Amino acid sequence: MTESKTVEADDTHRHLRDVERLLTRLRLVDTLVHRQQMPHQALVENITHRQNLGRLRRKLDQLHPADIACILEALPLDDRLFVWDLVKSDKDGDILLEVSDAVRSTLLDRMDPEEIRAAAETLDADELADLAPDLPPEIMQDVLASLDQEEQEQVRAAMSYPEGTVGALMDFDMVAVREDVTLEVVLRYLRRFDALPDHTDKIFVIDREERLRGVLTLETLLITDPETEVGAVMQTKQIISFSPDDRADAAANAFERYDLVSAPVIDSGRSVIGRLTVAEMVDHIREESEAEILSNAGLREEEDIFAPVIRSVKNRWAWLAINLVTAFVASRVIDLFEGSIEKLVALAALMPIVAGIGGNAGNQTITMIVRAIAMGQVQPSAVWRLLRKELGVAVINGVVWGGVIGVLAWLLYDNAELGMVMTAAMTLNLLLAATAGVLIPLIRQRFGRDPALGSSVMITALTDSGGFFIFLGLATLFLL
Amino acid sequence: MTESKTVEADDTHRHLRDVERLLTRLRLVDTLVHRQQMPHQALVENITHRQNLGRLRRKLDQLHPADIACILEALPLDDRLFVWDLVKSDKDGDILLEVSDAVRSTLLDRMDPEEIRAAAETLDADELADLAPDLPPEIMQDVLASLDQEEQEQVRAAMSYPEGTVGALMDFDMVAVREDVTLEVVLRYLRRFDALPDHTDKIFVIDREERLRGVLTLETLLITDPETEVGAVMQTKQIISFSPDDRADAAANAFERYDLVSAPVIDSGRSVIGRLTVAEMVDHIREESEAEILSNAGLREEEDIFAPVIRSVKNRWAWLAINLVTAFVASRVIDLFEGSIEKLVALAALMPIVAGIGGNAGNQTITMIVRAIAMGQVQPSAVWRLLRKELGVAVINGVVWGGVIGVLAWLLYDNAELGMVMTAAMTLNLLLAATAGVLIPLIRQRFGRDPALGSSVMITALTDSGGFFIFLGLATLFLL
């Protein structure tokens, strides 16, 4: 027994550096060949080159598919495909599952149908269903045909559930026993397995019709006298189970709240049809929060950072277009007051401050309300209370910050009335922002929309146009 | 055996509605008493009132501490404290751990020292360490004194690691065995436990000096012939372990990548000192992404949505102040060109469009780069490649959107030169946004700062002032 090797948490960065170093060395030789300073024959026979290639291949062989996925995402396209060709084919399927959609398509483009088929055949039914939308249909057909009847049905079942549901995330591997056997029998039964399904922390107890009767945790199995019957120690109360139509978000919340490792998925007749595991939930939580952060910044999907320019433009154009429309509307509002600005040009310099503070405060309010809705903390009865509170915050901010800026405007332009209009406009725009910040997400929720999506654009549009209108309007009324 | 009860994923919402309904009924009676329409004596003896109170108490008794925590967060302060008083005291500790910091302080304010002490004493060492910063020091002293020597040391150890490290998240419960015993002995040993530590999916194999020799998964324990020795089947290669000083983020990434349920924490001498579990990692991932979304919107921390106005103002003022300063700077830039705006007032209406598109595009770029850095995908060697790509995107967006807006400006103001200046200014501001979007996070990373923090404010400040300067400057040069 030799000293055990420990994998540390930050190893991926190290692996990436190692791979990049080896790639650089290989490229150096390539460059020499390219410049005709070394005949091609020499390259192939070049010992250093072969050594480096061997080292790179061994390095890749040692790595976990998730680490290779991470490295592939971090490499520019040419290096990425070079490394992809070197990866052992038995890892192809797992790696394709791990990489982002954008990078997956670059890898699939490189593979011939036979390779794709081989990779797909190493996957479980639920994994295959995840990959299916990205595979060429005729290959998917072949792979499906190669599966047995039960697996084919599982793949079809998994693909039939829409994205964002429990059904789309569940797997089909599980261990089930009857309640009238002893734990000793269960222990003997388990010894006949070569491996247990990933993340097995409980065994499902089912009756003859495959209906869920209870769950037997591995903990109970291990700490209880083996002569005991399953039915006597299985858990039957408050078993957390899911329906395949449940929202994946709700399931992820339940996994987080109740610290679950796995949970049964049952149909309307209480038959066990699949299983959710914490690994899928962790991925889901991460993907959801990534998607939220990306969409807040106007990116439709995760981008391959080395994607061609045109693909990035496509990912980002919609958000820019929407924002341009709202900016154009704001510009028309300003244009209404052309005459006022001509008479008092200071208005042009001050108006972005009024619009800006409204946008910032509105985004604070809306972010807080959206989060509270997502966590199920906002009941319709709470609307007035929330609105009162946010209006209170707006008044304080308006008086304090509006006051400060008002005094500055007064001093800079030697015009006390201008300062007062500034303070009043900032306060009014903050009140508008607070009202919209509470109502926009709640109204969107009432109409069954995602309260988060596009809320930021809407409130910024409102506080920009509204801010310009309020400020220039007040100025026109009181100053000119 | 009766039909097993199933807890569904969306139950928290239902629980919250139930609790609110009961609270409303209780409040109705209260209101009657308050209005003197019912003597106080009658209230106490009122059967409906007592029934409702009993129902509410039973409802709360059935709920998981995490569900109660969620309900408490969703209730306004008076209802929250009313419910908190009804909750069985043996759940107090777990509930305090689950609620947000803001809500926790409202609950602790309500408890007398004896209750806090009782709640604290139900917790494990690592949980106590989490709660410690919020507890009154003299109570913490008492609780510590009531623990045995080993637990005291564990609490102190857990508190000694800074937030965001593995040490601050690890727990101390674990099962360890020696490698020279058979699995049969391990099975017999486990049967002496009343319960295994939460999330035990593997047993740590240690030598006499408590150094980690390997891990024995429960899976291996269950599927292998019990006559086998631990040393023969334990995993010794590529065991994923952490040091207490590792960053929690890196550990969470490793849990996600390698689908871990638990992992040993070892010191520099390879002695096992604690354990990380996926439950803590899920909480960490969720908290981190929440914190990022909140800080992107300028909220310093999670807010109790029913917090008093003044506490919300404190949570939000810093961001507003910073944004006001940058808006003020932009306003001064505009002021430089007062003369130009006076001559051509259309400039005032068009300038926010130039600033706006720069801010939006810059935020897209910076969000993408920050995410790539966080995932370890950006090597210093990639800077030029990324910059070239983002500049390419900026040129395309500038020509397309700048062109569209330029034509609109030309038509609206019947001024072709103004349209051309508009297009040129938008393109230049987009190039500025792309450059800053790539460089700001990379430079912050180089200097050891968090690339995400405040990046959005910085780029918006730059594209606002820059956009006004570029547009008004070009206009002054070419139009006047």
Side-chain angles (χ1 to χ4, degrees):
Chain A
M1 186 72 31
T2 58
E3 176 71 344
S4 73
K5 180 175 158 263
T6 310
V7 176
E8 301 292 342
D10 260 338
D11 270 7
T12 317
H13 294 80
R14 192 166 53 71
H15 297 323
L16 177 56
R17 276 197 304 277
D18 289 350
V19 169
E20 290 201 318
R21 201 174 314 119
L22 290 165
L23 283 170
T24 311
R25 289 196 207 145
L26 289 168
R27 254 198 310 269
L28 266 180
V29 184
D30 271 355
T31 315
L32 291 176
V33 175
H34 201 71
R35 289 194 190 143
Q36 308 283 333
Q37 289 165 357
M38 191 195 279
H40 189 266
Q41 186 61 20
L43 162 66
V44 181
E45 286 169 11
N46 184 291
I47 292 172
T48 332
H49 186 268
R50 275 193 309 196
Q51 276 179 343
N52 282 327
L53 205 60
R55 249 180 237 150
L56 181 56
R57 193 172 275 136
R58 274 196 303 279
K59 175 91 204 167
L60 293 171
D61 285 350
Q62 286 164 14
L63 290 178
H64 190 283
D67 285 324
I68 300 181
C70 201
I71 288 171
L72 289 171
E73 289 179 346
L75 292 175
L77 194 59
D78 45 352
D79 286 346
R80 181 186 297 160
L81 296 180
F82 183 78
V83 168
W84 181 232
D85 287 341
L86 288 182
V87 170
K88 273 219 182 130
S89 62
D90 57 346
K91 286 181 183 167
D92 282 4
D94 286 330
I95 295 170
L96 286 173
L97 277 180
E98 294 277 348
V99 293
S100 68
D101 290 356
V103 170
R104 183 183 301 149
S105 76
T106 66
L107 299 181
L108 283 171
D109 285 351
R110 177 73 161 201
M111 298 169 81
D112 61 39
E114 203 38 64
E115 284 175 314
I116 299 182
R117 196 172 298 130
E121 281 169 3
T122 63
L123 300 176
D124 289 339
D126 60 305
E127 296 169 333
L128 197 53
D130 288 347
L131 211 56
D134 294 329
L135 296 180
E138 60 283 5
I139 291 181
M140 193 57 210
Q141 213 62 47
D142 286 359
V143 175
L144 263 183
S146 75
L147 299 176
D148 66 33
Q149 190 67 23
E150 190 189 357
E151 282 173 321
Q152 285 191 23
E153 271 165 30
Q154 288 174 345
V155 175
R156 291 219 180 81
M159 288 175 65
S160 71
Y161 294 106
E163 211 176 324
T165 63
V166 164
L169 291 179
M170 67 182 178
D171 66 47
F172 302 94
D173 280 346
M174 63 188 99
V175 182
V177 297
R178 296 259 192 279
E179 62 185 295
D180 56 3
V181 300
T182 64
L183 299 186
E184 181 60 42
V185 173
V186 176
L187 287 168
R188 279 210 308 274
Y189 172 60
L190 292 179
R191 279 188 206 118
R192 282 162 36 198
F193 282 76
D194 292 327
L196 297 183
D198 290 342
H199 295 91
T200 298
D201 72 322
K202 51 176 72 88
I203 295 172
F204 303 151
V205 184
I206 56 175
D207 63 17
R208 276 171 209 292
E209 280 78 40
E210 307 229 313
R211 282 185 305 230
L212 186 67
R213 300 283 301 160
V215 298
L216 174 69
T217 62
L218 293 194
E219 178 186 27
T220 304
L221 178 62
L222 286 167
I223 64 174
T224 313
D225 175 9
E227 299 305 314
T228 319
E229 265 199 12
V230 169
V233 290
M234 70 183 186
Q235 189 190 334
T236 54
K237 289 206 178 112
Q238 308 219 320
I239 302 169
I240 307 200
S241 69
F242 300 94
S243 138
D245 300 317
D246 281 343
R247 285 185 310 111
D249 289 340
N253 284 342
F255 266 74
E256 186 185 352
R257 247 194 332 266
Y258 308 124
D259 294 342
L260 302 175
V261 172
S262 74
V265 180
I266 58 177
D267 65 15
S268 52
R270 297 194 54 79
S271 293
V272 182
I273 54 173
R275 192 181 65 126
L276 275 186
T277 69
V278 68
E280 284 140 11
M281 292 295 107
V282 168
D283 289 348
H284 179 77
I285 291 172
R286 182 79 77 152
E287 277 164 23
E288 285 297 293
S289 63
E290 284 294 307
E292 183 168 354
I293 290 167
L294 293 175
S295 88
N296 277 348
L299 299 161
R300 274 202 310 185
E301 56 179 343
E302 203 181 333
E303 225 172 80
D304 172 2
I305 54 170
F306 299 106
V309 166
I310 201 69
R311 205 175 283 180
S312 295
V313 170
K314 277 189 197 152
N315 190 26
R316 307 183 195 175
W317 78 269
W319 168 265
L320 290 180
I322 294 171
N323 275 290
L324 270 182
V325 170
T326 70
F328 191 77
V329 171
S331 156
R332 292 302 85 204
V333 171
I334 299 171
D335 197 62
L336 290 177
F337 298 95
E338 204 176 81
S340 310
I341 294 174
E342 233 162 8
K343 283 185 212 134
L344 186 61
V345 78
L347 297 180
L350 293 175
M351 64 187 187
I353 300 180
V354 179
I357 195 171
N360 286 316
N363 271 304
Q364 289 182 329
T365 300
I366 219 164
T367 300
M368 209 203 62
I369 302 281
V370 164
R371 310 232 62 65
I373 291 176
M375 292 192 276
Q377 293 178 359
V378 177
Q379 296 295 304
S381 59
V383 175
W384 295 113
R385 212 187 271 257
L386 288 173
L387 197 54
R388 251 196 337 263
K389 178 191 148 187
E390 291 300 319
L391 291 176
V393 174
V395 167
I396 293 184
N397 279 331
V399 171
V400 173
W401 297 120
V404 169
I405 297 287
V407 169
L408 278 175
W410 172 16
L411 297 177
L412 277 169
Y413 297 100
D414 194 19
N415 183 338
E417 287 83 4
L418 180 62
M420 280 190 280
V421 164
M422 190 74 195
T423 305
M426 282 175 74
T427 307
L428 287 176
N429 202 27
L430 284 169
L431 290 171
L432 173 66
T435 310
V438 172
L439 295 185
I440 289 177
L442 286 170
I443 290 171
R444 288 178 66 86
Q445 185 197 25
R446 173 71 61 90
F447 288 100
R449 305 285 177 80
D450 181 348
L453 224 65
S455 286
S456 164
V457 182
M458 288 170 78
I459 197 144
T460 308
L462 198 66
T463 52
D464 271 3
S465 294
F468 293 141
F469 186 81
I470 291 169
F471 176 60
L472 297 174
L474 287 180
T476 307
L477 282 177
F478 295 105
L479 299 181
L480 304 171
Chain B
M1 186 70 31
T2 59
E3 176 71 344
S4 73
K5 180 174 158 263
T6 311
V7 175
E8 301 292 342
D10 260 336
D11 270 6
T12 317
H13 294 79
R14 193 165 53 71
H15 298 322
L16 177 57
R17 276 197 304 276
D18 290 350
V19 169
E20 290 201 318
R21 201 174 313 119
L22 290 165
L23 283 171
T24 311
R25 289 195 206 145
L26 289 168
R27 254 199 311 270
L28 266 181
V29 184
D30 270 354
T31 315
L32 292 175
V33 176
H34 202 70
R35 290 194 190 143
Q36 306 284 333
Q37 288 165 357
M38 192 195 278
H40 187 266
Q41 185 61 19
L43 162 66
V44 181
E45 287 168 10
N46 183 291
I47 293 173
T48 333
H49 186 266
R50 275 193 309 197
Q51 276 179 342
N52 282 328
L53 204 61
R55 250 180 236 149
L56 181 56
R57 193 173 276 135
R58 275 196 303 280
K59 174 91 206 168
L60 292 170
D61 285 350
Q62 287 165 12
L63 290 178
H64 190 283
D67 285 325
I68 300 181
C70 201
I71 289 171
L72 290 171
E73 289 180 346
L75 292 176
L77 193 58
D78 45 353
D79 286 347
R80 181 187 296 160
L81 297 179
F82 183 78
V83 169
W84 180 231
D85 287 341
L86 288 181
V87 170
K88 273 221 181 126
S89 62
D90 57 345
K91 287 181 183 168
D92 281 4
D94 287 330
I95 294 170
L96 286 172
L97 277 180
E98 293 278 347
V99 294
S100 69
D101 290 356
V103 171
R104 183 184 300 150
S105 76
T106 67
L107 300 180
L108 284 170
D109 285 350
R110 177 74 161 199
M111 297 169 81
D112 60 40
E114 203 39 63
E115 283 175 315
I116 298 181
R117 196 172 299 128
E121 281 169 3
T122 63
L123 299 176
D124 289 340
D126 61 305
E127 296 169 334
L128 197 52
D130 288 347
L131 212 55
D134 294 330
L135 296 180
E138 60 283 4
I139 291 180
M140 194 58 209
Q141 213 62 47
D142 288 359
V143 175
L144 264 184
S146 74
L147 299 176
D148 67 32
Q149 190 67 24
E150 191 189 357
E151 282 174 321
Q152 285 190 23
E153 270 165 31
Q154 289 173 345
V155 176
R156 291 218 181 82
M159 289 175 66
S160 71
Y161 294 105
E163 210 175 325
T165 64
V166 164
L169 292 180
M170 68 182 176
D171 66 47
F172 302 94
D173 280 347
M174 64 188 98
V175 183
V177 297
R178 296 258 192 280
E179 63 185 293
D180 55 3
V181 300
T182 63
L183 299 184
E184 181 60 44
V185 173
V186 175
L187 288 169
R188 279 208 308 272
Y189 172 60
L190 292 180
R191 281 187 203 118
R192 283 160 40 195
F193 281 75
D194 292 326
L196 298 183
D198 291 341
H199 295 90
T200 298
D201 71 322
K202 52 176 72 88
I203 295 172
F204 303 152
V205 184
I206 57 176
D207 64 17
R208 277 171 209 292
E209 280 79 40
E210 308 229 312
R211 282 184 306 229
L212 186 67
R213 299 284 300 160
V215 298
L216 175 69
T217 62
L218 294 194
E219 178 187 28
T220 304
L221 178 61
L222 286 168
I223 65 175
T224 313
D225 175 8
E227 299 304 315
T228 319
E229 265 199 11
V230 169
V233 289
M234 70 183 186
Q235 189 189 334
T236 54
K237 287 204 180 114
Q238 307 218 322
I239 303 170
I240 299 174
S241 68
F242 300 94
S243 138
D245 301 316
D246 280 344
R247 285 184 310 111
D249 289 341
N253 284 341
F255 266 74
E256 186 185 352
R257 248 194 330 267
Y258 307 124
D259 295 341
L260 301 176
V261 172
S262 74
V265 180
I266 58 177
D267 64 15
S268 53
R270 298 193 53 79
S271 294
V272 182
I273 54 173
R275 193 182 65 126
L276 275 186
T277 69
V278 68
E280 284 140 11
M281 291 296 106
V282 169
D283 289 348
H284 179 77
I285 290 172
R286 182 79 76 154
E287 277 165 23
E288 286 297 294
S289 64
E290 283 295 306
E292 182 168 354
I293 290 166
L294 292 175
S295 89
N296 277 349
L299 299 161
R300 273 202 310 184
E301 56 181 345
E302 202 182 333
E303 227 172 78
D304 173 1
I305 54 170
F306 300 106
V309 167
I310 200 71
R311 205 175 284 180
S312 295
V313 170
K314 277 188 197 153
N315 190 27
R316 308 184 195 175
W317 78 269
W319 168 266
L320 290 181
I322 294 170
N323 275 290
L324 270 181
V325 171
T326 68
F328 192 76
V329 171
S331 155
R332 293 303 84 203
V333 172
I334 298 170
D335 198 62
L336 291 177
F337 298 94
E338 203 175 82
S340 310
I341 295 173
E342 232 161 10
K343 282 184 213 135
L344 186 60
V345 79
L347 296 181
L350 293 175
M351 66 187 185
I353 300 180
V354 178
I357 196 172
N360 286 317
N363 271 305
Q364 289 182 329
T365 300
I366 219 165
T367 300
M368 209 202 62
I369 302 282
V370 164
R371 311 231 61 68
I373 290 176
M375 292 191 277
Q377 292 179 357
V378 178
Q379 297 293 304
S381 58
V383 175
W384 295 113
R385 212 186 272 255
L386 288 174
L387 198 53
R388 250 195 339 262
K389 177 191 149 188
E390 292 300 319
L391 291 176
V393 174
V395 167
I396 293 183
N397 280 330
V399 170
V400 173
W401 297 120
V404 169
I405 298 287
V407 169
L408 278 174
W410 171 18
L411 298 176
L412 277 169
Y413 296 99
D414 194 20
N415 183 337
E417 286 85 3
L418 180 61
M420 279 191 281
V421 164
M422 190 75 194
T423 304
M426 283 175 74
T427 307
L428 286 176
N429 203 25
L430 285 168
L431 290 172
L432 173 66
T435 311
V438 173
L439 295 184
I440 288 178
L442 286 169
I443 290 171
R444 289 178 66 86
Q445 186 198 25
R446 172 70 61 92
F447 287 100
R449 305 286 178 78
D450 180 350
L453 224 65
S455 287
S456 162
V457 181
M458 288 169 79
I459 197 142
T460 308
L462 198 66
T463 51
D464 271 3
S465 294
F468 293 140
F469 186 82
I470 291 168
F471 176 60
L472 298 173
L474 287 180
T476 307
L477 282 177
F478 295 105
L479 300 180
L480 304 171

